[in-house]
């Protein structure tokens, strides 16, 4: 939910009017899908990276407003916590040297931003969860000052009607309560956008759901929260719980959570927007003046603002997006499963793996979703988040298989063929997918490096957990600056 809001309270009439407007938008969207000209000739890609700010003591730095003002670059925006920023890469094609272009632009933007941040004794860190965060950091007072975050917090907490419980059982266990959504700010993600045609959207979304587990397993980078070692990708559990509007009674009744893997394969993008309207009450019932029916009948492109705002408050791991660029509407899959980091080149390797694999499976003669049950895809996803590189997944014709074997023997060749379909240069294809291959052969991603480094610091340097986490994060930030992939990082 990236738009600004100018309301802090909503009436019953606001909610009734908004619900009616959302349903009107949904009807118009259905008409558009039947015969409207969506932009899909040259499918663009996009990347969003959520960033952490760290002070010289490896503590979170609550300075995003100050640093944003200094950077003065529209590609950087606020995020939920005062120790967060977001970097939006300019959309582009990945054919030819598109990935190399991404790498130059992202590296340049981060380098310039770090120069400005250094003047405030701050450093930008790309990591799924900042390992030194604790409960005193994740409080409502440390939400960003943008009013939209305060309003969203009030609406989520108000909908729940009680404090939010966090109960994550991993290598260790964390159980605590929070009176705000501030813990969500700990979850810093890497998001991929893939533009698709309406008639192929379902294939790409289904493929994205099927491969989410493999993505998380090889890309996990969030093993610590509040000083405890939890899941390989603790971000998944934390985000699901920190924005849960349901008290226990509604959970027992089977009410859907707002952070949602989903419950079925789809046949159209309309299925997802219709589920949003049918299952989820509005959090931000803000109506615009546009009548989408009148705009459509006049030959214009409806904004569908209410439908898009509602969609932005349902946090699917693969989210459907309707957007307008240069006067033409288009559709995107927004892939939200991965954490930020460890380096720019690691993130682009994750991007190549996702884009290639999504295309390879979406265009396969026999769809993977005709062979894999949706419940198995969801179970795979949470198993991968818990165990990372050690996960065992269920896969058609293979049964239970270690994720590293699945990636090496099955998924990487499909991803390579998919990148060929996009016209990615063979050198870039092999360079980036080679990073995924080496992670699997060595058994080291960001989560493995973090936990191994903390373990070594505790045993060989006689540091307690808090000191070991601070040592590890300082070392992590140094190695991140080299842009060498994480599987090559030493553990010392």
């Amino acid at each position: 939910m990236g738009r600004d809001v100018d309301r802090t309270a909503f009436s019953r009439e606001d909610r009734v009017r908004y619900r009616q407007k959302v349903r009107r938008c949904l009807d118009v969207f259905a008409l558009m899908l039947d015969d409207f000209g969506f932009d899909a000739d040259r499918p663009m890609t996009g990347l969003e990276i959520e960033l952490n700010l760290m002070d010289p003591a490896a503590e979170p730095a609550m300075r995003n407003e100050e640093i944003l003002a200094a950077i003065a670059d529209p590609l950087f925006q606020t995020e939920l916590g005062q120790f967060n920023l977001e970097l939006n890469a300019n959309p582009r094609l990945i054919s030819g040297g598109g990935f190399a272009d991404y790498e130059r632009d992202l590296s340049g933007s981060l380098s310039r931003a770090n120069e400005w941040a250094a003047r405030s004794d701050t450093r930008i860190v790309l990591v799924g969860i900042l390992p030194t965060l604790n409960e005193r950091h994740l409080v409502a007072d440390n939400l960003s000052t943008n009013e939209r975050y305060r309003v969203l917090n009030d609406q989520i907490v108000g909908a729940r009607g009680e404090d939010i419980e966090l109960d994550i059982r991993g290598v260790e266990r964390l159980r605590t309560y929070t009176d705000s959504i501030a813990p969500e700010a700990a979850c810093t993600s890497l998001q991929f956008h893939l533009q698709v045609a309406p008639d192929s959207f379902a294939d790409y979304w289904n493929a994205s759901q099927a491969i989410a587990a493999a993505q998380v397993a090889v890309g996990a980078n969030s093993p610590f929260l509040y000083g405890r070692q939890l899941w390989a990708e603790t971000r998944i559990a934390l985000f699901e719980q920190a924005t849960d509007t349901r008290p226990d009674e509604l959970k027992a009744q089977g009410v859907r959570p707002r952070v949602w893997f989903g419950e079925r394969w789809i046949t159209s993008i309309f299925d997802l927007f219709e589920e949003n309207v049918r299952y989820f009450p509005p959090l931000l019932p803000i109506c615009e003046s546009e009548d989408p029916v009148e705009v459509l009948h006049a030959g214009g492109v409806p904004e569908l603002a209410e439908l898009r705002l509602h969609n932005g408050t349902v946090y699917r791991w693969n989210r459907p997006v309707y957007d307008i660029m240069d006067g033409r509407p288009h559709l995107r899959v927004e892939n939200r499963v991965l954490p930020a980091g460890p380096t720019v080149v690691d993130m682009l390797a994750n991007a190549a793996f996702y884009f290639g694999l999504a295309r390879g499976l979406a265009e396969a003669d026999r769809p993977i979703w005709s062979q894999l049950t949706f419940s198995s895809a969801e179970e795979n996803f949470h198993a991968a988040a818990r165990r990372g590189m050690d996960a065992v997944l269920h896969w058609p014709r293979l049964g239970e298989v270690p994720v590293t074997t699945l990636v090496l023997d099955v998924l990487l060749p499909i991803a390579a063929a998919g990148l060929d379909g996009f016209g990615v240069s063979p050198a870039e294809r092999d360079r980036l997918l080679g990073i995924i291959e080496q992670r699997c052969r060595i058994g080291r991603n960001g989560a493995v490096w973090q936990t191994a480094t903390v373990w070594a610091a505790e045993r060989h340097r006689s540091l307690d957990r808090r000191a070991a986490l601070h040592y590890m994060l300082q070392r992590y930030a140094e190695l991140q600056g080299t842009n060498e992939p994480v599987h090559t990082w030493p553990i010392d």
Side-chain angles (χ1 to χ4, degrees):
M1 199 285 294
R3 57 170 290 177
D4 291 336
V5 298
D6 57 6
R7 301 281 299 279
T8 58
F10 304 100
S11 67
R12 287 175 293 180
E13 291 77 11
D14 289 332
R15 295 184 184 280
V16 171
R17 185 165 55 251
Y18 181 81
R19 181 176 287 110
Q20 293 170 344
K21 190 73 179 291
V22 167
R23 289 174 176 168
R24 191 171 178 84
C25 287
L26 186 65
D27 291 341
V28 169
F29 186 56
L31 293 173
M32 294 177 68
L33 289 174
D34 284 340
D35 58 11
F36 209 88
F38 285 84
D39 186 5
D41 299 335
R42 304 179 72 208
M44 302 289 282
T45 66
L47 273 71
E48 298 177 48
I49 310 168
E50 294 168 355
L51 316 170
N52 287 285
L53 301 176
M54 180 184 86
D55 69 16
E59 291 280 307
M62 307 297 173
R63 297 174 187 157
N64 67 352
E65 190 169 8
E66 169 189 348
I67 291 168
L68 272 176
I71 296 172
D73 183 340
L75 294 179
F76 288 87
Q77 300 177 5
T78 57
E79 252 300 328
L80 182 60
Q82 291 183 28
F83 58 93
N84 299 144
L85 296 175
E86 180 177 276
L87 171 58
N88 294 281
N90 287 316
R92 70 197 67 206
L93 300 170
I94 55 173
S95 57
F99 283 111
D101 292 340
Y102 266 132
E103 187 168 0
R104 278 190 296 272
D105 286 356
L106 291 173
S107 296
S109 293
L110 288 168
S111 177
R112 290 189 295 273
N114 255 320
E115 290 175 6
W116 284 107
R119 301 182 188 189
S120 299
D121 288 329
T122 302
R123 184 167 190 167
I124 292 172
V125 183
L126 306 167
V127 65
I129 294 176
L130 200 65
T132 54
L133 282 168
N134 60 46
E135 290 173 278
R136 67 182 172 85
H137 299 127
L138 297 176
V139 295
D141 286 346
N142 287 334
L143 294 177
S144 290
T145 57
N146 190 308
E147 191 62 31
R148 73 174 182 256
Y149 300 120
R150 309 282 171 169
V151 175
L152 187 63
N153 175 73
D154 293 346
Q155 293 301 305
I156 288 177
V157 174
R160 185 180 176 93
E162 59 189 44
D163 285 354
I164 298 170
E165 181 183 22
L166 303 179
D167 187 0
I168 305 174
R169 306 179 192 201
V171 177
E172 298 165 350
R173 183 181 182 185
L174 170 67
R175 188 177 188 190
T176 188
Y177 291 84
T178 176
D179 62 0
S180 76
I181 63 169
E184 181 195 337
C187 305
T188 41
S189 65
L190 168 64
Q191 298 166 21
F192 303 134
H193 290 255
L194 180 57
Q195 184 180 335
V196 295
D199 59 359
S200 60
F201 183 94
D203 293 343
Y204 275 88
W205 188 86
N206 290 340
S208 297
Q209 292 286 97
I211 63 177
Q215 284 184 267
V216 169
V218 299
N221 194 30
S222 313
F224 293 103
L225 178 65
Y226 293 174
R228 293 175 176 83
Q229 182 183 346
L230 300 170
W231 293 11
E233 191 47 44
T234 303
R235 225 182 87 261
I236 302 299
L238 178 59
F239 193 54
E240 288 177 345
Q241 295 182 23
T243 54
D244 198 341
T245 58
R246 307 167 302 161
D248 290 343
E249 294 81 2
L250 292 184
K251 294 178 188 177
Q253 293 173 36
V255 172
R256 279 84 173 171
R258 294 194 89 97
V259 178
W260 200 30
F261 188 81
E263 60 189 16
R264 62 186 175 119
W265 305 118
I266 65 168
T267 58
S268 166
I269 187 175
F270 184 82
D271 296 346
L272 301 177
F273 281 101
E274 190 275 334
E275 284 180 349
N276 289 353
V277 175
R278 180 156 41 105
Y279 292 146
F280 299 101
L283 284 180
L284 300 169
I286 301 169
C287 289
E288 304 294 341
S289 60
E290 177 192 76
D291 183 333
V293 174
E294 290 183 0
V295 173
L296 185 65
H297 287 168
V301 180
E303 293 284 341
L304 306 182
E306 294 80 9
L307 187 67
R308 293 160 72 186
L309 176 59
H310 188 56
N311 183 54
T313 62
V314 179
Y315 304 99
R316 296 177 184 272
W317 293 111
N318 285 292
R319 177 188 275 166
V321 176
Y322 166 84
D323 206 351
I324 301 169
M325 183 68 67
D326 298 327
R328 292 192 67 187
H330 68 264
L331 306 177
R332 304 195 303 267
V333 178
E334 181 186 18
N335 178 258
R336 303 160 49 84
V337 305
L338 286 175
T343 64
V344 169
V345 74
D346 278 307
M347 292 189 294
L348 290 174
N350 292 338
F353 186 56
Y354 168 69
F355 290 136
L357 194 50
R359 179 164 184 158
L361 289 177
E363 297 183 355
D365 292 335
R366 187 180 178 194
I368 187 65
W369 51 96
S370 71
Q371 308 166 63
L372 181 71
T373 66
F374 195 90
S375 60
S376 292
E378 183 174 13
E379 289 167 7
N380 283 345
F381 178 65
H382 285 101
R386 286 187 181 93
R387 297 187 57 80
M389 302 290 278
D390 293 328
V392 174
L393 307 182
H394 178 80
W395 200 255
R397 297 188 301 278
L398 297 178
E400 305 300 310
V401 58
V403 68
T404 52
T405 301
L406 176 65
V407 171
L408 290 170
D409 294 351
V410 178
L411 301 184
L412 278 175
I414 296 173
L419 293 178
D420 289 343
F422 279 115
V424 175
S425 76
E428 284 298 287
R429 176 200 66 201
D430 294 345
R431 178 176 76 102
L432 295 174
L433 292 186
I435 291 172
I436 303 297
E437 178 185 1
Q438 289 305 307
R439 277 190 218 158
C440 291
R441 294 198 184 282
I442 295 170
R444 183 183 302 163
N445 57 15
V448 171
W449 184 90
Q450 287 191 51
T451 54
T453 302
V454 167
W455 185 91
E458 289 175 334
R459 284 153 183 79
H460 304 320
R461 296 176 182 270
S462 300
L463 300 180
D464 62 19
R465 175 61 61 82
R466 181 180 182 278
L469 287 169
H470 282 72
Y471 167 79
M472 180 271 286
L473 183 55
Q474 295 277 23
R475 187 76 175 116
Y476 181 103
E478 292 171 7
L479 291 166
Q480 185 172 93
T482 69
N483 200 33
E484 293 295 327
V486 71
H487 73 265
T488 68
W489 289 8
I491 296 170
D492 49 23

